[in-house]
Amino acid sequence: MNKNAIQKYAVWARNELIEQVKQRAYQYGISEKGYGEENATVISGRVLSAEEKRQRHEFAVQIKKQGYQQAIEEVAYTWFNRFVALRYMEVNDYLPTHVRVFSDANGCFNPEILKDVLHLDLPGLDKAKVSDLLNANRTEELYRYLLLTQCNALNEALPEMFERLGSYTEMLLPNNILKPDSVLGRLVTDIPEEDFRDAVQIIGWMYQYYNTEPKQEVFDGLKKNIKITKEKIPAATQLFTPDWIVRYMVENSLGRMWLESHPNKAMKANWKYYLDEAEQTPEVAEKLRVLRSQSPVKLPEDIRLIDPCMGSGHILVYAFDVLMQIYESEGYKPRDAAKLVLEKNIYGLDIDRRAYQLAYFSLMMKARQYNRRIFTEDVKPQVYHPAGWSDGEEYGSLMKVETLPPKPELPKDQLTIFDDYERDLRVWNFKRLLAQKYDVVVTNPPYMGNKRLNAKLSEYLQTNYADYKSDTFSAFIIRCGEMAKPSGYVGMFSPYVWMFIQSYEKLRNNLYSTKNITTLIQFEYSAFEEATVPVCSFVYRNRNTGEKGGYFRLVDYRGGMEIQRQKYLEAIENPNCGFFYIASVENFKKIPGCPVAYWMSKAMLRAFDCQFISNWISPRIGLVTGDTDRFLRLWPEVAISQIFFSCKSIEESISSKQKWYPYQK
């Protein structure tokens, strides 16, 4: 996968789409200077249709809520999301019509949907309108109509990605989209089809790189002491987790949890990054045996896994694959299992609506791999965003919901406020997921130091996570433990400063006293190319069992994440490689400050077992020179003229002094 090409395209496409949407808005009398009459019926001498008037009014209302620039950017991103989704679906032949929208069978930018269009079986298509446009040779207008009809036809199957018919985003679909250098043309030509075979990879990188410039704007603002507002948090913190790290976290949390009560050598052999449990003392081994026998997870349907900061859904999609293996090992049919995974096993939250849409789409595409009829099944992924709920957008999954309010009911006689009901239902579902407990919690949380936070979020951390307020990621380490069941596992990808720095000592003590680290990778300082922070990945059991864990010290191996991956696999094959360690958190407690010093030798640890010398003897002052203040002299206190470095005796120094300084008394 050529990430440079993806980044170049995504950054360019964002700016191009924003300008194109602005041009469309200008055609309807809307600019950064205003929009004139909110219910205008005539613009620049052209009478608007009833549909155009309604859409224009809706967009004006949105501008009043968000401001012109934000409203424009949201429309641009909506179209970007849809274009990426359609491209993925056509490449993988997931479109219900099996007709390509952007390209032809050879992969060229030559929309197949324009060929034999009168025989196209597309729901909602007005054949008479198609015929009129064909006869008038209005190809651009015909293609716009076909594209909009295709998007609307996907609403029933993928409502969270493709909105209901008539949205103002239709009015703002960019012009000249059939040109080779358009956003669509370059989407086809700049990025190879093979990159769209892996839904999560391409969608995740597209999302991250689309936010390249907004992220830089946030960082530039920080240099001027401009705090990160809730609207800017996604752009500032979104980082796509490397694929092998996702596999490492999921296999050693979800995979370990299942294998502990359902041993399966064949399944484990499929998990390339799975680390076998370290050898334990007899006492700990017995404690773990009892825990496994008491596991609440008996069937695959019992498992609950959540990513509380899901982004574009990378972790959830790989968890989907692992869960499918678990279901199939228990005799379930793939078609049935795929539906159950969406209904019962996987949950996700994110404060960013755009990321939520992509996670939703990615999970539906993953389910489609196993169930060809999933689009017609009455099922949707259990993923949510705050839906305009202010506190949810500010605090996200750091919010704590002790009591879940009643589920909103659809007013029977007030269907005109259906949108309000949908919003309230989304908020309720967001809270529902926060109130639940999970067998597995896996995430790459946002990294924001306390000095970067706006006043509201900073105060919230101070009030609710006082001992862990140094950074949002440290609060999430604790929050994820609260979301997990006592029998559960938590997998994290975070900066590794918490392992050593004094300000995170309370966090370490919390982990040592209430949890057990089962595995941890400390990466080389600059291994994570997408961020400027040194990182680690780790999994902990959500209770203290006294067990030992496996630690990988990769800090000496430069060359990026691929080198780190290779060294990790080397250590799996050869534990005596020199950078793999077995350690217990009980030993970390012996060291002042309690750092995660997993590499310390037994001899060094014994040194910390010793008591202070004052426990054995009473120290005293030894021999002194007498009147030290009077007789002791330091080098700076003696004149250079009084020092003779080559003299071997006092007599020789006196002689030298008389020779070189004869007039000195």
Side-chain angles (χ1 to χ4, degrees):
M1 180 173 289
N2 188 342
K3 292 195 295 183
N4 288 333
I6 296 172
Q7 180 175 22
K8 185 177 180 180
Y9 171 78
V11 172
W12 171 83
R14 174 180 175 271
N15 290 309
E16 180 69 11
L17 279 170
I18 288 173
E19 288 306 310
Q20 289 289 331
V21 170
K22 285 182 177 179
Q23 288 182 25
R24 287 291 294 174
Y26 185 78
Q27 291 176 326
Y28 287 90
I30 300 172
S31 70
E32 58 187 351
K33 296 179 180 179
Y35 47 79
E37 173 57 41
E38 189 173 310
N39 295 299
T41 58
V42 179
I43 299 294
S44 300
R46 184 173 70 88
V47 179
L48 301 181
S49 67
E51 184 74 353
E52 287 178 314
K53 180 181 176 181
R54 182 185 61 78
Q55 291 174 343
R56 185 185 184 281
H57 174 261
E58 285 183 358
F59 189 52
V61 171
Q62 197 67 19
I63 290 174
K64 283 199 294 188
K65 290 180 180 178
Q66 298 179 301
Y68 172 79
Q69 189 63 34
Q70 184 66 23
I72 289 288
E73 289 198 18
E74 288 212 354
V75 173
Y77 195 87
T78 295
W79 279 116
F80 182 79
N81 265 7
R82 289 180 179 180
F83 294 159
V84 172
L86 286 169
R87 179 61 173 155
Y88 174 79
M89 294 183 77
E90 74 169 15
V91 167
N92 291 279
D93 196 23
Y94 286 172
L95 289 170
T97 61
H98 302 288
V99 176
R100 289 190 170 215
V101 182
F102 301 152
S103 61
D104 58 22
N106 296 319
C108 300
F109 180 51
N110 182 24
E112 192 176 58
I113 199 171
L114 282 171
K115 298 178 181 178
D116 202 17
V117 67
L118 289 175
H119 296 92
L120 182 66
D121 184 16
L122 184 63
L125 189 66
D126 185 340
K127 296 291 181 70
K129 182 173 183 177
V130 169
S131 181
D132 290 343
L133 292 172
L134 275 174
N135 292 332
N137 200 28
R138 292 154 65 182
T139 306
E140 173 81 19
E141 189 175 345
L142 172 61
Y143 183 65
R144 292 175 61 85
Y145 173 65
L146 292 173
L147 180 58
L148 289 172
T149 304
Q150 175 65 88
C151 289
N152 289 321
L154 288 169
N155 169 257
E156 186 175 352
L158 300 165
E160 302 305 316
M161 180 62 75
F162 299 97
E163 298 170 346
R164 294 192 306 274
L165 181 68
S167 167
Y168 60 78
T169 55
E170 293 186 7
M171 178 185 79
L172 299 172
L173 173 64
N175 294 317
N176 303 315
I177 51 179
L178 277 178
K179 288 186 175 181
D181 62 348
S182 69
V183 172
L184 297 185
R186 289 188 56 177
L187 177 61
V188 173
T189 58
D190 288 12
I191 303 174
E193 279 202 7
E194 308 87 74
D195 289 354
F196 283 89
R197 305 288 180 189
D198 185 339
V200 178
Q201 289 287 317
I202 188 66
I203 290 172
W205 289 121
M206 282 283 199
Y207 173 61
Q208 176 158 317
Y209 290 141
Y210 187 92
N211 287 318
T212 299
E213 291 184 349
K215 185 172 188 173
Q216 189 58 51
E217 289 174 8
V218 173
F219 288 163
D220 290 343
L222 290 173
K223 295 176 183 177
K224 302 175 184 177
N225 202 32
I226 300 174
K227 304 299 183 181
I228 301 176
T229 63
K230 68 178 182 181
E231 293 82 9
K232 300 294 184 181
I233 290 175
T237 62
Q238 184 58 227
L239 290 170
F240 188 66
T241 315
D243 185 65
W244 79 270
I245 300 300
V246 169
R247 293 170 182 264
Y248 162 80
M249 291 191 293
V250 173
E251 290 172 11
N252 287 288
S253 55
L254 171 61
R256 186 182 299 275
M257 183 272 302
W258 179 256
L259 290 182
E260 283 186 333
S261 55
H262 301 78
N264 188 316
K265 291 183 179 180
M267 185 185 301
K268 185 171 69 172
N270 291 328
W271 298 338
K272 192 174 182 180
Y273 302 96
Y274 182 85
L275 176 66
D276 282 320
E277 181 185 296
E279 184 177 352
Q280 309 294 343
T281 64
E283 294 79 11
V284 171
E286 175 60 19
K287 183 184 294 186
L288 293 175
R289 186 194 67 78
V290 173
L291 284 177
R292 289 163 186 154
S293 67
Q294 298 172 346
S295 173
V297 176
K298 306 300 181 185
L299 299 171
E301 296 171 52
D302 297 333
I303 300 171
R304 280 184 177 178
L305 177 147
I306 190 171
D307 181 347
C309 318
M310 65 183 174
S312 56
H314 193 181
I315 291 172
L316 296 179
V317 170
Y318 184 62
F320 197 115
D321 283 329
V322 172
L323 284 161
M324 287 298 296
Q325 295 174 41
I326 291 173
Y327 271 102
E328 290 179 34
S329 73
E330 295 293 299
Y332 289 73
K333 294 180 180 180
R335 176 182 172 181
D336 297 330
K339 185 177 179 181
L340 287 169
V341 169
L342 292 181
E343 290 178 330
K344 296 180 176 293
N345 300 129
I346 283 182
Y347 302 83
L349 296 171
D350 202 278
I351 60 174
D352 185 13
R353 178 174 174 267
R354 300 170 298 182
Y356 148 77
Q357 287 179 325
L358 293 176
Y360 162 89
F361 177 75
S362 295
L363 286 170
M364 288 299 291
M365 294 303 103
K366 177 57 68 172
R368 172 60 178 76
Q369 290 182 19
Y370 297 101
N371 183 341
R372 298 184 63 181
R373 301 178 183 175
I374 198 69
F375 295 160
T376 60
E377 302 273 7
D378 185 21
V379 61
K380 61 168 288 184
Q382 296 288 302
V383 292
Y384 299 97
H385 68 98
W389 172 40
S390 181
D391 284 348
E393 291 180 338
E394 192 83 56
Y395 312 136
S397 299
L398 289 175
M399 293 196 65
K400 303 179 182 183
V401 178
E402 305 297 337
T403 304
L404 185 65
K407 183 177 181 179
E409 295 184 4
L410 178 63
K412 296 180 180 180
D413 300 323
Q414 302 180 49
L415 296 182
T416 54
I417 60 171
F418 181 75
D419 288 344
D420 292 339
Y421 163 75
E422 273 199 331
R423 182 200 61 223
D424 293 344
L425 184 61
R426 290 178 190 273
V427 171
W428 182 85
N429 276 310
F430 194 88
K431 291 181 178 179
R432 173 174 65 87
L433 267 58
L434 290 176
Q436 290 181 169
K437 297 294 184 181
Y438 300 87
D439 302 287
V440 182
V441 183
V442 187
T443 196
N444 178 357
Y447 317 154
M448 285 192 296
N450 191 266
K451 292 181 180 180
R452 296 179 172 185
L453 306 182
N454 62 70
K456 186 176 180 181
L457 182 53
S458 179
E459 182 181 355
Y460 184 82
L461 288 182
Q462 177 66 51
T463 302
N464 296 277
Y465 299 92
D467 292 339
Y468 321 109
K469 66 180 185 299
S470 297
D471 196 293
T472 51
F473 83 81
S474 55
F476 267 106
I477 291 176
I478 298 302
R479 178 67 182 121
C480 288
E482 295 172 347
M483 298 179 78
K485 298 176 183 177
S487 58
Y489 279 96
V490 174
M492 306 286 293
F493 184 63
S494 77
Y496 67 55
V497 289
W498 69 267
M499 297 169 60
F500 311 112
I501 295 178
Q502 182 180 8
S503 56
Y504 296 95
E505 185 174 347
K506 290 182 179 179
L507 169 62
R508 294 193 291 274
N509 285 328
N510 180 291
L511 289 177
Y512 300 162
S513 61
T514 64
K515 312 173 193 315
N516 254 110
I517 298 174
T518 56
T519 176
L520 181 147
I521 307 173
Q522 183 184 358
F523 297 102
E524 187 270 325
Y525 190 90
S526 58
F528 191 28
E529 300 167 356
E530 306 304 323
T532 56
V533 293
V535 293
C536 68
S537 186
F538 59 99
V539 176
Y540 68 75
R541 188 193 298 274
N542 203 32
R543 70 166 64 193
N544 187 345
T545 59
E547 65 191 286
K548 299 174 183 177
Y551 296 77
F552 300 80
R553 184 173 172 83
L554 306 182
V555 295
D556 297 323
Y557 303 99
R558 299 180 65 86
M561 273 294 172
E562 178 55 26
I563 296 298
Q564 303 278 288
R565 185 185 73 86
Q566 293 173 12
K567 301 307 291 187
Y568 174 84
L569 293 176
E570 179 184 332
I572 291 286
E573 292 295 322
N574 176 24
N576 297 318
C577 58
F579 49 86
F580 174 70
Y581 302 84
I582 301 294
S584 168
V585 296
E586 295 302 316
N587 286 329
F588 305 157
K589 298 177 185 178
K590 300 174 182 178
I591 307 170
C594 304
V596 186
Y598 54 85
W599 61 87
M600 296 196 70
S601 66
K602 293 181 180 179
M604 182 61 73
L605 286 170
R606 280 198 299 271
F608 289 103
D609 282 332
C610 297
Q611 298 183 18
F612 292 107
I613 192 172
S614 60
N615 293 335
W616 298 91
I617 60 174
S618 297
R620 295 287 186 271
I621 298 176
L623 182 66
V624 295
T625 61
D627 193 347
T628 302
D629 291 338
R630 180 182 178 189
F631 293 106
L632 180 65
R633 289 292 178 264
L634 304 177
W635 282 99
E637 297 181 86
V638 183
I640 189 66
S641 62
Q642 302 298 311
I643 302 173
F644 295 89
F645 297 98
S646 60
C647 297
K648 299 179 180 179
S649 66
I650 295 177
E651 289 76 13
E652 188 176 350
S653 69
I654 293 173
S655 174
S656 297
K657 179 179 179 182
Q658 291 174 347
K659 178 179 179 181
W660 294 103
Y661 303 97
Y663 302 107
Q664 262 191 11
K665 299 293 185 181

